[in-house]
Amino acid sequence: MNYTEIMVRYGELSTKGKNKRTFINRLSQNVRRALHDFPEIKILGERDHMYLELNGADSHIVMKRLEPIFGIQNYSPVVRLPRDMDVVKKVAVEMVQSVFKEGQTFKITTKRADHLFELDTNDINQLLGAEVLRNVEGIKVQVKKPDIEVKVEVRLEGIFLSCQRIAGAGGLPVGSGGRAMLMLSGGIDSPVAGYLAMKRGVEVQAVHFHSPPYTSPRALQKAKDLTVKLTAYVGSIQFIEVPFTEIQEEIKRVVPEGYLMTVTRRMMMRLTDKIREQQSGLAIVNGESLGQVASQTLQSMVSINEVTNTPIIRPVVSMDKNEIIEIAQKIDTLELSIQPFEDCCTIFAPPAPKTKPKLEKAQKFEARLDVDGLIERAMAGLVISEIKTGDSLEEQQEEAFSEFL
């Protein structure tokens, strides 16, 4: 079926009152970003729904791009036809045939925005219903709960037909809830945390710590590949690579083994907060799950969080590993996450890290470092790239650029 438009219906946006236009505008931006390689598509965001005029774009590819975008309750592919009932009858039959399965029922539902049209709603329902019954073998009419409902809308500019309502991702448009830095390690938990934060409208920028030669280029690429997966929900994401080798070497040199992880995480948190400040973010998102590892006990969180007053959002904090894995499978990040490339959280990891580190001891050991100098040099070496839906990894690498934040 050659669809000409897609009608998008909003989810929670319908409850946003006077702020509704802001949410609609944000959703329109996200849809445009997801469809950045389809410049011919025209997006019209109205109060109760959004229209995408395809202008020749492949409707199947477009609908696949819409599927994960937060803020969409459901959407319907639509065919726009001339106000010629012979043409409408032919297309109505083709539309039903394209989705009909043996034993299914149908109904025709007509709405007339143009009340001067020569046929009223009952006439159109009967005319099209009879045509479908004549041409689709085995189909029956069911008025109350049909398997297939062909919706017909008569407007001045044409007659519009649709018969599918495809579920969207729900949630709120990414960006409507502000911006946060996602601490993206490359493991299972942090991409899931990013996904859940985005579902509630948070725009995330991915912050990844890289320590060559201890971490490999493939580990860095793995983090970028995970970011590609997350762009499906928003269109594009800023990927911020933080050079962390010098800091980890210094921590390894002067900090006792039991506190290596605590001090390392404190430095990561400081850097992420510094980036957040420069990027006008409001919060930090991470994939911590309470009690899962030594750095994620309550005592560790207290010792690590002490370096910032910025809100830390932990979407998976109360989930067990199986729950997190289930979401990772759903968003197609699990297979990437379990690739065996070490990241900054695993290199130099002591065999027996403190699970109940004392804040005063962490501060004492950290005082042996030139904290300000290490932070300044790491910030000077940031590498930022914009990763977009549909971009190849080679294109992402070519577009990478360095910035002083």
Side-chain angles (χ1 to χ4, degrees), residues 142-155:
Q142 172 57 260
V143 176
K144 291 187 176 180
K145 292 184 178 180
D147 299 304
I148 302 168
E149 183 176 7
V150 179
K151 294 194 173 184
V152 183
E153 187 169 348
V154 180
R155 299 188 228 157

Side-chain angles (χ1 to χ4, degrees), residues 209-212 214 242-255 260-272 344 347-348 366 368-380 382:
F209 294 87
H210 186 47
S211 293
Y214 306 106
V242 185
F244 204 57
T245 305
E246 181 189 11
I247 292 175
Q248 287 202 277
E249 287 177 338
E250 279 297 293
I251 292 172
K252 175 71 172 175
R253 187 175 67 85
V254 303
V255 174
L260 286 177
M261 181 58 68
T262 303
V263 175
T264 297
R265 295 289 293 181
R266 282 169 63 89
M267 292 297 285
M268 286 180 169
M269 191 66 75
R270 277 195 179 92
L271 277 164
T272 304
C344 289
I347 64 170
F348 301 154
E366 191 177 74
R368 300 173 183 177
L369 300 169
D370 175 17
V371 172
D372 291 341
L374 290 168
I375 294 291
E376 182 179 352
R377 289 190 290 278
M379 291 294 292
L382 297 180

Side-chain angles (χ1 to χ4, degrees), residues 351-362:
K354 293 289 184 181
T355 59
K356 297 180 180 180
K358 303 294 185 183
L359 175 57
E360 57 273 16
K361 286 191 175 182

Side-chain angles (χ1 to χ4, degrees), residues 95-111:
M95 184 173 285
V96 173
Q97 288 173 334
S98 70
V99 297
F100 174 68
K101 296 178 182 178
E102 186 176 351
Q104 287 187 323
T105 59
F106 85 107
K107 71 178 285 189
I108 308 290
T109 303
T110 301
K111 176 181 177 182

Side-chain angles (χ1 to χ4, degrees), residues 165-361:
R165 183 171 289 212
I166 302 166
L172 297 172
V174 174
S176 62
R179 177 181 296 163
M181 303 298 111
L182 169 64
M183 299 178 74
L184 185 68
S185 66
I188 296 172
D189 303 338
S190 55
V192 171
Y195 162 80
L196 293 172
M198 288 193 293
K199 188 170 185 178
R200 298 313 303 160
V202 177
E203 174 197 347
V204 300
Q205 295 186 352
V207 177
H208 178 74
F209 294 87
H210 186 47
S211 293
Y214 306 106
T215 57
S216 70
R218 296 185 71 181
L220 175 61
Q221 190 59 57
K222 171 184 169 182
K224 291 185 177 182
D225 292 348
L226 287 168
T227 305
V228 171
K229 296 291 186 182
L230 295 179
T231 61
Y233 303 96
V234 63
S236 67
I237 292 175
Q238 291 285 320
F239 183 88
I240 304 172
E241 177 190 342
V242 185
F244 204 57
T245 305
E246 181 189 11
I247 292 175
Q248 287 202 277
E249 287 177 338
E250 279 297 293
I251 292 172
K252 175 71 172 175
R253 187 175 67 85
V254 303
V255 174
E257 189 175 78
Y259 276 80
L260 286 177
M261 181 58 68
T262 303
V263 175
T264 297
R265 295 289 293 181
R266 282 169 63 89
M267 292 297 285
M268 286 180 169
M269 191 66 75
R270 277 195 179 92
L271 277 164
T272 304
D273 199 35
K274 191 75 171 176
I275 295 168
R276 174 207 60 79
E277 183 180 351
Q278 296 293 342
Q279 296 289 85
S280 301
L282 299 174
I284 295 170
V285 177
N286 66 30
E288 291 179 343
S289 175
L290 189 60
Q292 187 176 130
V293 294
S295 65
Q296 296 175 14
T297 64
L298 282 178
Q299 293 87 347
S300 287
M301 290 180 185
V302 168
S303 294
I304 293 166
N305 286 9
E306 187 264 343
V307 302
T308 178
N309 292 320
T310 297
I312 310 297
I313 300 174
R314 299 178 173 88
V316 302
V317 70
S318 63
M319 295 183 184
D320 63 34
K321 198 66 177 183
N322 288 336
E323 291 174 310
I324 298 170
I325 287 173
E326 186 176 335
I327 298 174
Q329 290 173 324
K330 172 185 173 182
I331 65 175
D332 195 29
T333 57
L334 181 63
E335 292 304 314
L336 279 172
S337 293
I338 62 177
Q339 290 180 358
F341 305 126
E342 286 194 317
D343 58 33
C344 289
C345 296
T346 55
I347 64 170
F348 301 154
K354 293 289 184 181
T355 59
K356 297 180 180 180
K358 303 294 185 183
L359 175 57
E360 57 273 16
K361 286 191 175 182

